[in-house]
Amino acid sequence: MRVRASLHRDFKISRIDDRLYSAFIEHMGRAIYSGIYEPGHPQADPNGFRKDVLELVRDLKIPAIRYPGGNFVSAYRWEDGIGPKEQRPVRLDLAWRSKETNQVGINEFAQWAEMAGIEMMLAVNLGSRGLEDARNFAEYAIHPEGTYWSELRRSHGVKEPYNVKMWCLGNEMDGPWQIGHKKAKEYGQLANETAKALKALDGDIEAIVCGSSNDQMPTYPDWEREVLEECYENVDYISLHKYFGNSSNDTLNYFAKIEETGRYIQAIGGVIDFVKAKKRAKNDVYICFDEWNVWYHRREEDAQRWRTWDWPEAPDLLEEDYNFEDALFVAGLINEFIRRSDRVRIACIAQLVNVIAPIRAERGGPAWRQTIYYPYQFASLYGRGTALKVAVDGPTYDCKVADDVNYLDVAAVHDERACTVTLFLVNRHLEETVELDMPMTGFPTARLIEHKVMAGFGLRDANGPDHPNAVAPRDGTGVGVDNGRVKGHLVALSYHVIRFD
Ligand code: AHR
């Protein structure tokens, strides 16, 4: 299969915001407890944080992390997680029918995030609570000193305020399952007032308002319009969520869900522009895609279990085993975020450890990288700079969710500072090799510096505690560059990261 793709140094999409490679972690299942925090584990540090997990997290170079939820946040009392640990109450987590011991709260999480080198992005509870608690939480976290809440933080041993600039105004407030679910207008007004209050505390705060829980919600996309009509001038981002799966066992259709996601982003971009025009507003609102991932392997089974179980503590929940097919999907989805980086400024893989996550960690046992860890890692390491347009001229396919889908999925990033160009390519064809011919106009002296490939695995192959490196990248061959023209072959069902300087 011959594919001609071309790019030009001056045909730019956008400067990519580093936060496109952010993550999300929730008090849910074993994400926090026995995920990042497990006192007594052989790898635990004196504060109870798992060093093995921390190392895998650090290697991802994650810029920002959304915390503490998710559905969890909509009934969370943040004050339960501060002060002496032995005095913290155990509460019922209404979202996941579990027990929350509150042994990790904002101060422990901040300590972990600092060790991991990640900026925090905090969510406030606009479900069971509201503006008053949001401002108290923010004042506790970010005000330097001399007030009730800031002095309380200082009395808890945290003398310096946290530098938190990103604040999420609740979570999935359109969802009837959400504790404190609201109608669009009501939520939009609350979000507007809460954003105003947070920005009164610190004018540099960026506020993220909830969009729909996904693009299949009955109220989508009117929800976005109605919410933004209430709060457009006071918010900076609108959040999108979407989870993916291949329940019908149709690989090409699964991959094409990336096209569907492009349409979702485009539609919300249109809503943003509509509201901006209607309000004659000057400010811009961007997209924060703050929950995305594959979630279907155990979804039904888990939903049955958690609806009936008896409030366990840190239960095994949503521990998806990702396979090679999922890695190819995730690679393509991140390519779509790069191609849409003019609209999508922040995106968070959901989640980070154990719960629908690229990193898994057994209680008392080892931690390992899942298949999807690698495309996420490569994008985070090499996907920073300016996204370039790539024109692809090659065979396409039609399927249930989209027509005219390119078999070859490509994104290109020019890092002007490092003077490198990185191509991220996925050959989605089930059988055929791509014979690639790709002029890179404006890069006449480009030299190949690195080629990593994930290929040759069965679509259902996965990693596990006994075979942690079964599916992993290796050095690639068969691609070269001459006179600014990339040529080579990419075997069927393969992912490539090809870098030039
Ligand atoms: O990430 C798991 C859950 O998915 C989150 O709590 C919620 O926001 C979404 O529905």
Side-chain angles (χ1 to χ4, degrees):
M1 178 176 62
R2 291 189 183 285
V3 178
R4 191 184 149 95
S6 52
L7 61 78
H8 190 297
R9 189 186 189 111
D10 296 331
F11 294 172
K12 301 172 185 177
I13 298 169
S14 171
R15 169 119 205 112
I16 297 169
D17 190 317
D18 286 354
R19 296 171 301 174
L20 198 66
Y21 310 111
S22 299
F24 165 49
I25 196 163
E26 177 168 6
H27 280 249
M28 172 181 179
R30 299 194 310 109
I32 301 287
Y33 303 111
S34 80
I36 65 168
Y37 176 83
E38 190 178 351
H41 187 280
Q43 292 278 347
D45 74 6
N47 294 312
F49 294 116
R50 287 185 61 156
K51 289 183 281 184
D52 52 348
V53 173
L54 188 64
E55 199 180 320
L56 296 179
V57 170
R58 277 192 186 129
D59 288 348
L60 290 167
K61 298 270 181 292
I62 299 168
I65 189 157
R66 177 169 170 253
Y67 171 88
N71 294 341
F72 169 80
V73 81
S74 294
Y76 180 49
R77 294 166 47 86
W78 66 272
E79 315 90 296
D80 291 343
I82 56 176
K85 283 189 176 180
E86 61 284 2
Q87 288 172 20
R88 296 184 192 176
V90 174
R91 301 265 186 205
L92 296 181
D93 163 13
L94 300 179
W96 304 108
R97 217 183 146 79
S98 314
K99 262 190 212 96
E100 171 58 50
T101 61
N102 284 303
Q103 293 304 290
V104 172
I106 177 63
N107 294 323
E108 290 76 24
F109 186 72
Q111 196 181 16
W112 179 84
E114 192 180 355
M115 289 192 297
I118 311 178
E119 190 178 340
M120 288 191 295
M121 170 177 171
L122 296 178
V124 298
N125 173 356
L126 294 189
S128 67
R129 304 182 114 184
L131 189 159
E132 178 69 5
D133 288 301
R135 66 150 302 186
N136 293 346
F137 180 31
E139 191 175 318
Y140 178 89
I142 66 173
H143 192 71
E145 60 186 331
T147 66
Y148 175 79
W149 291 109
S150 56
E151 287 303 323
L152 186 62
R153 182 199 69 239
R154 287 166 61 80
S155 77
H156 294 150
V158 183
K159 299 293 176 211
E160 295 302 320
Y162 302 121
N163 185 25
V164 182
K165 298 296 183 199
M166 288 171 277
W167 289 84
C168 304
L169 307 169
N171 177 69
E172 294 188 348
M173 301 307 301
D174 63 320
W177 59 85
Q178 201 70 215
I179 305 289
H181 154 73
K182 292 176 177 50
K183 297 280 178 233
K185 194 176 172 67
E186 181 193 2
Y187 168 64
Q189 287 169 347
L190 176 60
N192 188 49
E193 295 308 319
T194 308
K196 271 166 51 188
L198 295 178
K199 288 181 178 205
L201 263 176
D202 174 354
D204 292 335
I205 276 179
E206 293 187 315
I208 301 148
V209 71
C210 295
S212 298
S213 302
N214 59 68
D215 55 349
Q216 307 302 313
M217 296 297 289
T219 47
Y220 164 83
D222 281 328
W223 170 273
E224 281 79 355
R225 178 185 54 75
E226 285 184 60
V227 166
L228 284 176
E229 280 177 359
E230 298 300 326
C231 64
Y232 188 92
E233 288 92 340
N234 287 310
V235 300
D236 303 278
Y237 303 91
I238 183 154
S239 82
L240 270 63
H241 291 180
K242 194 167 168 71
Y243 291 97
F244 304 86
N246 182 16
S247 313
S248 56
N249 198 17
D250 179 345
T251 301
L252 289 180
N253 191 59
Y254 179 30
F255 292 156
K257 291 177 183 175
I258 292 163
E259 312 286 309
E260 208 181 34
T261 310
R263 295 200 297 263
Y264 182 17
I265 293 167
Q266 200 169 340
I268 299 304
V271 175
I272 292 170
D273 291 347
F274 171 82
V275 178
K276 177 175 180 174
K278 188 170 171 182
K279 299 199 131 219
R280 277 72 171 156
K282 281 210 293 210
N283 63 311
D284 287 309
V285 170
Y286 293 96
I287 290 172
C288 171
F289 214 120
D290 55 24
E291 283 187 37
W292 65 263
N293 207 347
V294 174
W295 176 9
Y296 79 102
H297 297 283
R298 289 188 41 179
R299 196 171 182 147
E300 289 304 314
E301 182 193 329
D302 280 326
Q304 301 282 348
R305 286 166 60 234
W306 98 64
R307 284 196 191 110
T308 53
W309 68 26
D310 189 21
W311 304 95
E313 199 180 301
D316 154 359
L317 182 59
L318 274 52
E319 299 196 6
E320 298 272 277
D321 286 321
Y322 292 116
N323 58 36
F324 178 52
E325 184 181 61
D326 300 326
L328 295 174
F329 176 85
V330 163
L333 185 66
I334 299 176
N335 279 356
E336 187 67 17
F337 292 148
I338 293 172
R339 289 189 291 259
R340 304 273 176 179
S341 53
D342 53 338
R343 288 284 190 187
V344 184
R345 290 290 158 93
I346 309 172
C348 305
I349 189 170
Q351 300 188 12
L352 186 59
V353 181
N354 282 335
V355 173
I356 38 175
I359 298 170
R360 288 281 295 279
E362 281 195 344
R363 204 187 293 274
W368 67 97
R369 300 172 185 85
Q370 297 231 58
T371 60
I372 63 169
Y373 179 98
Y374 297 105
Y376 175 47
Q377 181 185 39
F378 283 127
S380 175
L381 294 182
Y382 305 127
R384 304 191 189 209
T386 299
L388 298 180
K389 284 183 189 151
V390 184
V392 178
D393 182 10
T396 61
Y397 65 92
D398 295 347
C399 63
K400 200 167 141 235
V401 297
D403 288 338
D404 211 19
V405 181
N406 276 306
Y407 280 105
L408 184 69
D409 183 290
V410 196
V413 178
H414 181 202
D415 182 340
E416 292 95 339
R417 261 179 305 184
C419 299
T420 56
V421 175
T422 300
L423 303 179
F424 301 95
L425 305 113
V426 186
N427 177 4
R428 311 192 265 206
H429 203 288
L430 303 181
E431 283 135 22
E432 291 186 31
T433 295
V434 165
E435 300 299 338
L436 180 69
D437 177 10
M438 183 164 182
M440 299 202 300
T441 308
F443 300 101
T445 60
R447 277 182 325 146
L448 183 69
I449 49 171
E450 192 176 17
H451 177 188
K452 292 286 182 196
V453 63
M454 290 178 79
F457 306 108
L459 285 175
R460 303 284 168 260
D461 289 356
N463 297 336
D466 306 325
H467 47 282
N469 301 313
V471 180
R474 56 180 163 75
D475 289 336
T477 54
V479 174
V481 59
D482 186 25
N483 232 345
R485 199 174 190 108
V486 181
K487 289 194 175 192
H489 47 269
L490 317 172
V491 297
L493 296 172
S494 59
Y495 165 59
H496 305 257
V497 181
I498 308 178
R499 305 184 58 231
F500 307 94
D501 70 0

